[in-house]
């Protein structure tokens, strides 16, 4: 690359004061001709060097220093939407990205969000910078939503809460904190997990490894494997847990299993690190969906929780979330918060204001808050209905006797169908049902009306495609 | 071992658990934002905040521009933001690069710009810093001395080694041009240079057009990479094109540059975090590749920028009438700052200050590098409840005709002993 670049010896540069510039350039230009403005001796109060005319190139000469840069691999999830867009078949379904759709397959802006935005517009609020840690009213509201306003961790001011750019930004802040204060510590992530988790920890230079989670035999939780792997991890590891509605499987531990998970984490002095992207959206109840977090914090453990309002308030595009660090003392929480701010400032200075105000307004107003809860129940309810419909369709059509009830047991936006990579490809190629290669379907994008068609696609792919594997009996 | 243990531990209380965060010390205060915080905590009715570079009107109040309000009305009830996100994002980039490079710039027509929307200027710088480390892991970034304090933190957290090149001359309170050129020449070939294309922060001292041409020449000779941080386009001279002149000179000279843009100040969209990062590539294919890499870095940091700011900026820039209104309002902000500069200098001279205050009107943009020493700024804070960063940087937007006399008197009080900083 260097040889192809237009380069001058630096010696030539300092000699340029005495030599005509074109002498220096002779034989070294890559392409095109070089012409120069007139050598005007202009006033240069600071120097004795002769002023020279401007070097102007008639063609773009520099070879970019970014020559060697290749295309980044397409994001596997967003790539599904792109393939969907390109698909011309009218029966096509997009069950890729986890974005909620109505029964009419339209995006849904919550009414309560529109109301909050109108209020904000009427008030004509200013657009000043938020503090680095974000909107105070939002931080208070989000922590209370998560832990419950009466929770000792809140009352004792032991939670360091910093507004973040949705779940991703909040996870990244936490990862940066881990990298700085726990160099060498490992994060354990479930196998599988949301694809971007690995990218976040990789870019933050935090080591990670996996704990067993999904059992393809049962299309359920490999609980023994999970416990064993958490136990085997070096003491003081960070265990990344999905608070509810595991992404991508939809498989959550039961309350009894959560207790056992808490036991082994305490035993090994690990730090629980929750990713709560679906509070309220999974079961329809904000409190029920926070049970796992509250269970572990009630044990007195210090833990981290990343939150997102992308799904439960439909605020995907506004990037609103938070990172919470529950500490053993208010003093520790203050210090941790100051360091989170120190990490945020060189990333983006301060977080965006709009989404924070929407959340603060909704949570802060009892009428709006109740409306929100009702809308969330409605969204979660629709997803439950769709699961039921899909299950009914599959059971009715499938004569093989396979148990499809895992569709009902799974929770949240996604379902792991148990389809293999080849079978998933068949879904897309033959049936124009666009899903990710791991067999994950976004139930939140499914309408009841399409369940029959989807059932056909799944059954065809399951029974007629690919070699028999574990799980296909 | 399980429930019983859990209960026993819980009964013994929180302190029974390993305390993870003992090792975490309190972070040092951010030199800029801590000024605002101290100001907020001050109960004095005379207090003045000259810290953060956020524009204030003649009443000292934050301003939401009319063009922004118009845009808000237009996008209000924009349902299904999710689906318009992608097109709004590309419109933002299209309009942003036109602003910087000129709407008829060849490079735009040729599709050679890799552009992504970013979390204001900070986000653009950080994205570039990460990109620089990823593809030029052994490279160094050179900052002007001084520069915006957060530049140091950004490249540090991105793990790119940094150094400085001369810029400010404390004796003249102007540009140290020969030293600047020397430093460019002495840096190892192929270094990365961060440049403020206009309204240098914190000094307000900019090279002349001619000086920029020389800087461009020397950077070219050394094959350095010019990275522009354009945070104040329109705020320097009041003219958007004039403020971009340095960048256009570099373009004409054949540099392949990078540019961070912020709409925080010039559109008053501070809290919305909207900006743009553009890198000039040799061809479209490369631009597409570079863009994909930038998006990948962004996706592991925050996903994508918030849509609100993107919608507002693309609406303002995309509609000729709203854009014209913006240009008018921008000029009005700049005019007020210019008047304030003149008035402050006059007041200090009238008070009989022994010091030379010419730099107040020589310097441009939002800030004045006053030459007030750290000790003097501390006195200003303690005695007069006037807040500025310890380097003596004054945010001119925080000065009004009504607090002018108080401010001039206070500055005179702490500096009248006549010692130059």
């Amino acid at each position: 690359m260097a040889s192809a670049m237009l380069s001058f010896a630096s010696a030539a540069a300092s000699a340029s004061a005495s030599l005509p510039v074109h002498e220096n350039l002779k034989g070294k230009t890559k392409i095109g001709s070089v012409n120069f403005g007139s050598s005007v001796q202009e006033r240069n109060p600071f120097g004795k060097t002769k002023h020279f005319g401007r070097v102007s190139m008639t063609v773009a000469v520099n070879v970019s220093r970014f020559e060697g840069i290749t295309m980044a691999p397409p994001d596997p999830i967003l790539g599904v939407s792109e393939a969907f867009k390109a698909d011309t078949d009218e029966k096509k379904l997009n069950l890729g990205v986890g974005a909620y759709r109505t029964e009419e397959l339209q995006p849904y802006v919550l009414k309560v969000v529109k109301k909050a935005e109108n209020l904000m517009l009427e008030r004509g609020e200013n657009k000043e910078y938020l503090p680095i840690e974000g909107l105070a009213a939002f931080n208070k509201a989000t922590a209370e939503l998560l832990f419950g306003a009466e929770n000792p961790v809140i009352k004792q001011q032991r939670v360091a809460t910093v507004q973040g750019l949705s779940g991703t930004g909040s996870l990244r802040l936490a990862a940066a904190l881990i990298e700085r204060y726990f160099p060498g510590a490992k994060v354990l992530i479930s196998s599988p997990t949301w694809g971007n988790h690995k990218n976040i920890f990789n870019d933050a230079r935090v080591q990670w490894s996996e704990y067993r989670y999904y059992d393809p035999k049962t299309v359920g939780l490999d609980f023994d494997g999970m416990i064993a792997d958490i136990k085997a991890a070096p003491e003081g590891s960070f265990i990344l847990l999905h608070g509810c509605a595991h992404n991508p499987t939809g498989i959550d531990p039961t309350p009894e299993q959560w207790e056992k998970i808490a036991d082994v984490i305490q035993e090994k002095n690990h730090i629980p690190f929750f990713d709560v992207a679906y509070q309220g959206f999974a079961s329809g109840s904000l409190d029920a969906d926070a049970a796992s977090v509250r269970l572990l914090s009630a044990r007195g453990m210090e833990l981290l929780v990343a939150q997102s309002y992308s799904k439960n308030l439909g605020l995907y595009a506004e990037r609103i979330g938070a990172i919470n660090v529950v500490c053993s003392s208010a003093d520790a929480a203050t210090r941790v918060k100051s360091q989170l701010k120190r990490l945020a400032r060189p990333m983006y200075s301060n977080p965006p204001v709009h989404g924070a105000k929407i959340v603060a307004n909704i949570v802060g107003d009892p009428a709006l808050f109740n409306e929100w809860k009702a809308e969330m129940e409605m969204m979660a309810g629709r997803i439950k209905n769709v699961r039921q419909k899909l299950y009914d369709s599959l059971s009715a059509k499938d004569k093989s006797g396979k148990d499809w009830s895992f569709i009902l047991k799974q929770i949240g936006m996604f379902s792991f169908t148990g389809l293999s990579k080849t079978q998933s490809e068949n879904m897309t190629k033959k049936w124009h049902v666009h899903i990710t290669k791991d067999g994950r379907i976004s139930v939140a994008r499914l309408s009841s009306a399409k369940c029959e068609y989807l059932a056909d696609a799944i059954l065809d792919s399951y029974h007629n495609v690919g070699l028999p594997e574990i799980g296909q009996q | 071992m399980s429930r019983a243990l859990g209960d026993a531990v819980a009964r013994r209380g929180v302190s029974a658990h390993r305390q993870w965060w003992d090792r975490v010390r309190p972070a040092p205060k951010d030199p800029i934002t801590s000024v605002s915080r101290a100001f907020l905590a001050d109960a004095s009715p005379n207090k003045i905040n000259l810290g953060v570079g956020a524009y204030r009107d003649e009443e000292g109040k934050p301003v939401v521009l009319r063009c922004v309000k118009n845009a808000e009305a237009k996008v209000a009830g924009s349902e299904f933001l999710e689906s318009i996100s992608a097109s709004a994002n590309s419109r933002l980039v299209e309009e942003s690069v036109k602003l910087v490079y000129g709407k008829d710039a060849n490079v735009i027509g040729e599709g050679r710009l890799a552009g992504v929307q970013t979390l204001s200027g900070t986000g653009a710088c950080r994205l570039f810093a990460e990109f620089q480390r990823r593809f030029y892991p052994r490279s160094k970034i050179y900052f002007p001395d001084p520069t915006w304090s957060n530049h140091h933190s950004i490249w540090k957290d991105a793990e790119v080694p940094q150094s400085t090149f001369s810029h400010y001359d404390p004796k003249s309170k102007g540009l140290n041009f020969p030293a600047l050129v020397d430093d460019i020449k002495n840096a190892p070939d192929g270094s990365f240079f961060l440049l403020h294309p206009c309204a240098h922060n914190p000094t307000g001292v900019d090279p002349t057009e001619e000086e920029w041409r020389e800087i461009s020449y020397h950077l070219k000779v050394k094959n350095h990479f010019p990275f522009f941080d354009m945070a104040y386009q329109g705020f320097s001279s009041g003219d958007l094109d004039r403020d971009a002149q340095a960048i256009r000179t570099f373009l004409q000279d054949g540099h392949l540059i990078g540019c961070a843009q912020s709409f925080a100040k010039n559109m008053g969209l501070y809290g919305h975090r909207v900006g743009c990062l553009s890198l000039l590539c040799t061809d479209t294919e490369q631009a597409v590749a570079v863009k994909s890499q930038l998006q990948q870095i962004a996706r592991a940091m925050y996903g994508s920028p918030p849509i609100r700011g993107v919608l507002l900026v693309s609406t303002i820039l995309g509609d000729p009438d709203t854009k014209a209104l913006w240009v008018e309002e921008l000029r009005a902000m700049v005019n007020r700052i210019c008047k304030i500069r003149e008035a402050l200098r006059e007041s200090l001279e009238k008070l009989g200050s022994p010091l030379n205050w010419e730099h107040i009107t020589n310097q441009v943009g939002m800030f004045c590098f006053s030459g007030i020493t750290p000790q003097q700024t501390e006195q200003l804070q303690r005695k007069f409840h006037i807040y500025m960063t310890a380097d003596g940087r004054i945010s001119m937007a925080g000065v009004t005709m009504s607090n002018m006399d108080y401010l001039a008197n206070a500055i005179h009080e702490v500096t009248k002993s006549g010692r130059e900083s």
Side-chain angles (χ1 to χ4, degrees):
Chain A
M1 202 200 297
S3 57
M5 278 185 183
L6 177 66
S7 65
F8 304 76
S10 54
S14 46
S16 65
S18 43
L19 275 180
V21 185
H22 67 267
E23 281 299 303
N24 299 328
L25 295 174
K26 217 191 290 189
K28 289 181 187 158
T29 44
K30 181 174 174 269
I31 41 174
S33 63
V34 177
N35 53 44
F36 302 90
S38 55
S39 268
V40 174
Q41 184 87 17
E42 282 181 24
R43 187 178 73 85
N44 185 346
F46 286 104
K48 299 184 299 268
T49 51
K50 193 184 297 180
H51 180 71
F52 39 78
R54 198 157 69 78
V55 173
S56 72
M57 307 295 174
T58 54
V59 282
V61 252
N62 270 19
V63 174
S64 168
R65 59 192 58 227
F66 301 121
E67 256 323 283
I69 291 176
T70 53
M71 280 295 290
D75 181 275
I77 302 172
L78 299 177
V80 171
S81 289
E82 274 156 36
F84 173 79
K85 253 193 247 134
D87 189 338
T88 51
D89 193 291
E90 58 173 16
K91 295 187 302 298
K92 66 179 181 178
L93 286 182
N94 185 354
L95 300 181
V97 183
Y100 180 82
R101 291 285 180 271
T102 62
E103 176 61 31
E104 294 74 41
L105 296 184
Q106 293 303 311
Y108 184 65
V109 177
L110 275 74
K111 295 192 184 63
V112 79
V113 167
K114 287 189 222 181
K115 282 193 185 165
E117 283 193 315
N118 285 338
L119 272 172
M120 284 156 60
L121 205 61
E122 275 165 39
R123 274 189 231 127
E125 293 165 345
N126 67 48
K127 297 173 176 315
E128 293 298 289
Y129 290 124
L130 286 178
I132 301 173
E133 68 267 31
L135 186 68
F138 166 78
N139 287 343
K140 179 171 191 288
T142 199
E144 290 182 358
L145 211 58
L146 181 62
F147 295 103
E150 300 306 311
N151 195 312
V153 304
I154 300 269
K155 297 252 139 199
Q156 293 160 19
Q157 299 180 308
R158 292 196 278 118
V159 188
T161 301
V162 167
Q163 179 185 338
L165 274 95
S166 202
T168 304
S170 307
L171 287 163
R172 181 60 181 263
L173 278 180
L177 189 72
I178 293 170
E179 195 268 342
R180 191 165 285 193
Y181 287 97
F182 297 88
K186 231 192 226 191
V187 173
L188 264 74
I189 62 181
S190 64
S191 169
T193 192
W194 179 47
N196 209 24
H197 279 144
K198 296 174 185 172
N199 298 331
I200 292 169
F201 294 117
N202 284 340
D203 276 21
R205 297 180 274 285
V206 171
Q207 288 175 61
W208 54 268
S209 67
E210 289 177 295
Y211 60 86
R212 281 167 282 172
Y213 194 80
Y214 173 62
D215 184 352
K217 281 198 297 294
T218 59
V219 195
L221 179 58
D222 178 0
F223 187 62
D224 292 338
M226 177 181 184
I227 294 295
D229 290 345
I230 293 177
K231 216 172 195 165
E235 185 170 318
S237 296
F238 290 78
I239 313 297
L240 190 65
L241 304 158
H242 298 227
C244 63
H246 183 271
N247 179 358
T249 66
I251 299 163
D252 284 349
T254 62
E256 297 72 32
Q257 287 172 328
W258 274 118
E259 295 274 5
K260 296 208 172 74
I261 292 167
D263 290 341
V264 70
I265 286 178
Q266 282 184 301
E267 191 191 316
K268 293 290 305 208
N269 261 327
H270 292 323
I271 308 187
F273 182 177
F274 282 96
D275 184 357
V276 175
Y278 301 99
Q279 188 183 3
F281 200 79
S283 68
S285 156
L286 286 160
D287 290 319
D289 287 348
S292 59
V293 172
R294 295 176 188 184
L295 189 157
L296 267 74
S297 88
R299 297 275 192 110
M301 285 189 260
E302 292 182 309
L303 47 90
L304 300 109
V305 189
Q307 292 171 280
S308 164
Y309 291 89
S310 289
K311 324 293 194 285
N312 60 8
L313 261 177
L315 292 173
Y316 308 92
E318 296 297 350
R319 319 308 296 142
I320 178 67
I323 178 66
N324 302 272
V325 184
V326 178
C327 307
S328 56
S329 68
D331 178 67
T334 306
R335 286 182 276 117
V336 167
K337 185 165 172 166
S338 77
Q339 293 293 350
L340 286 168
K341 284 165 61 175
R342 193 184 185 192
L343 290 162
R345 172 58 158 155
M347 255 192 227
Y348 49 80
S349 280
N350 41 72
V353 64
H354 196 69
K357 288 204 169 159
I358 293 175
V359 176
N361 276 306
I362 290 172
V363 175
D365 177 299
L368 289 177
F369 191 36
N370 286 332
E371 275 194 53
W372 177 35
K373 286 195 263 198
E375 283 193 275
M376 233 172 352
E377 266 177 53
M378 179 274 295
M379 292 194 288
R382 188 185 94 66
I383 292 178
K384 279 188 207 153
N385 287 342
V386 163
R387 284 183 179 278
Q388 187 67 52
K389 189 85 204 284
L390 181 60
Y391 168 77
D392 292 341
S393 303
L394 285 163
S395 306
K397 289 169 191 266
D398 188 8
K399 306 303 173 203
S400 77
K402 178 181 162 72
D403 181 10
W404 292 98
S405 66
F406 59 82
I407 302 245
L408 298 175
K409 293 193 198 106
Q410 289 164 3
I411 189 169
M413 284 193 134
F414 301 111
S415 220
F416 238 39
T417 55
L419 294 175
S420 70
K421 185 164 180 283
T422 358
Q423 292 168 338
S424 301
E425 280 164 356
N426 183 69
M427 293 283 285
T428 307
K429 292 205 179 87
K430 180 170 171 188
W431 295 87
H432 305 279
V433 175
H434 294 259
I435 64 174
T436 43
K437 302 268 196 287
D438 53 6
R440 179 189 87 162
I441 57 173
S442 172
V443 196
R445 290 185 89 106
L446 181 62
S447 62
S448 317
K450 303 285 184 188
C451 284
E452 299 269 348
Y453 179 75
L454 180 60
D456 289 336
I458 291 174
L459 290 171
D460 172 61
S461 307
Y462 178 75
H463 287 298
N464 302 331
V465 175
L467 296 168
E469 293 168 33
I470 296 170
Q472 295 180 31
Q473 266 125 34
Chain B
M1 152 102 114
S2 54
R3 199 54 182 284
L5 176 70
D7 288 346
V9 171
R11 273 198 300 275
R12 275 157 66 205
V14 169
S15 55
H17 290 270
R18 175 133 163 214
Q19 291 176 35
W20 295 105
W21 308 108
D22 284 352
R23 63 187 71 181
V24 175
R25 303 324 314 153
K29 294 204 171 76
D30 181 276
I32 298 174
T33 62
S34 54
V35 171
S36 292
R37 287 182 90 105
F39 169 81
L40 283 167
D42 188 327
S44 164
N46 298 323
K47 63 179 181 175
I48 307 179
N49 187 359
L50 303 176
V52 181
Y55 182 78
R56 293 287 178 268
D57 64 13
E58 198 33 54
E59 276 79 52
K61 297 247 169 0
V63 171
V64 178
L65 298 177
R66 274 178 298 145
C67 63
V68 170
K69 289 188 191 152
N70 288 359
E72 283 201 301
K74 281 206 180 88
V75 307
S78 253
E79 303 196 335
F80 313 133
L81 291 184
E82 196 195 307
S83 55
I84 65 175
S85 217
S87 57
N89 287 332
S90 19
R91 257 201 331 277
L92 175 85
V93 171
E94 272 169 44
E95 294 297 335
S96 299
V97 301
K98 277 195 227 166
L99 208 56
V100 168
Y101 301 103
K103 64 177 168 45
D104 298 319
N106 290 341
V107 298
I108 296 180
E110 291 161 18
R112 290 170 51 209
L113 285 163
V116 290
Q117 63 314 4
T118 58
L119 294 166
S120 205
T122 307
C125 285
R126 179 60 178 267
L127 203 53
F128 180 75
E130 295 283 336
F131 182 74
Q132 180 187 346
R133 188 184 60 81
R134 191 170 287 199
F135 293 100
Y136 280 88
R138 280 178 295 280
S139 66
K140 217 183 199 183
I141 184 87
Y142 284 77
F143 299 127
D145 179 16
T147 193
W148 179 45
S149 54
N150 206 24
H151 280 147
H152 296 292
S153 310
I154 291 169
W155 267 264
K156 178 160 182 232
D157 275 18
E159 297 187 1
V160 174
Q162 53 186 267
S163 190
T164 59
F165 62 92
S166 303
H167 179 86
Y168 182 67
D169 179 348
K171 280 198 299 295
S172 67
K173 297 202 174 50
L175 187 64
N176 188 348
F177 189 66
L180 189 161
V181 170
D182 273 345
D183 287 346
I184 291 176
K185 289 178 183 178
N186 292 331
D189 277 33
S191 297
F192 286 65
F193 273 71
L194 184 142
L195 305 162
H196 301 224
C198 67
H200 181 271
N201 178 3
T203 67
V205 169
D206 288 343
T208 62
E209 246 184 81
E210 204 41 63
E211 286 165 344
W212 272 121
R213 289 191 205 125
E214 280 198 46
I215 292 168
S216 169
Y217 172 78
H218 290 292
L219 286 170
K220 202 108 203 287
V221 163
K222 293 286 297 187
N223 211 18
H224 293 323
F225 183 91
F227 181 72
F228 287 96
D229 185 358
M230 175 75 102
Y232 297 99
Q233 189 177 4
F235 240 105
S236 194
S237 67
D239 182 322
L240 290 159
D241 289 312
R242 187 135 121 226
D243 286 353
Q245 189 50 52
I247 291 179
R248 298 178 190 183
T249 298
F250 273 60
L251 233 58
Q252 282 160 17
D253 289 351
H255 286 279
L256 292 170
I257 67 167
C259 183
Q261 284 170 272
S262 164
F263 292 99
K265 327 290 196 273
N266 59 11
M267 278 193 192
L269 293 174
Y270 310 95
H272 284 288
R273 319 312 294 132
V274 52
C276 181
L277 171 66
S278 53
L279 296 182
L280 184 52
C281 304
T282 43
D283 55 40
T284 308
E285 192 186 328
Q286 189 182 91
V288 168
V290 166
K291 179 172 172 163
S292 74
Q293 295 287 349
L294 291 172
Q295 286 173 321
Q296 188 180 64
I297 296 172
R299 191 157 152 83
M301 209 183 274
Y302 50 85
S304 54
I307 193 68
R308 191 111 205 128
V310 169
L311 276 176
L312 292 173
V313 175
S314 57
T315 302
I316 292 170
L317 294 178
D319 173 65
D321 290 334
T322 320
K323 185 172 178 194
L325 177 58
W326 173 48
V327 169
E328 202 185 293
E329 292 188 278
L330 193 49
R331 286 227 172 89
M333 289 196 281
V334 174
N335 284 341
R336 188 179 96 67
I337 292 182
C338 285
K339 281 210 189 70
I340 288 291
R341 283 184 183 274
E342 281 165 25
L344 182 60
R345 174 181 163 180
E346 221 178 276
S347 301
L348 285 164
E349 286 167 353
K350 275 214 185 86
L351 286 167
S353 170
L355 302 177
N356 183 340
W357 296 101
E358 274 178 17
H359 52 284
I360 296 183
T361 48
N362 288 342
Q363 293 165 1
V364 290
M366 211 178 252
F367 301 110
C368 166
F369 220 42
S370 61
I372 293 171
T373 66
Q375 297 90 322
Q376 290 165 346
T377 65
E378 203 248 328
Q379 284 174 51
L380 283 170
Q381 187 172 316
R382 232 181 338 103
K383 280 200 239 163
F384 297 97
H385 309 278
I386 292 172
Y387 293 81
M388 64 183 69
T389 45
D391 56 4
R393 182 192 84 163
I394 294 178
S395 172
M396 293 310 299
V399 186
T400 64
M401 293 314 288
S402 36
N403 65 26
M404 171 77 60
D405 288 339
Y406 179 79
L407 176 63
N409 274 311
I411 292 178
H412 181 56
E413 271 303 307
V414 306
T415 60
K416 66 187 176 187
S417 59
R419 260 173 286 120
E420 288 279 345
S421 65

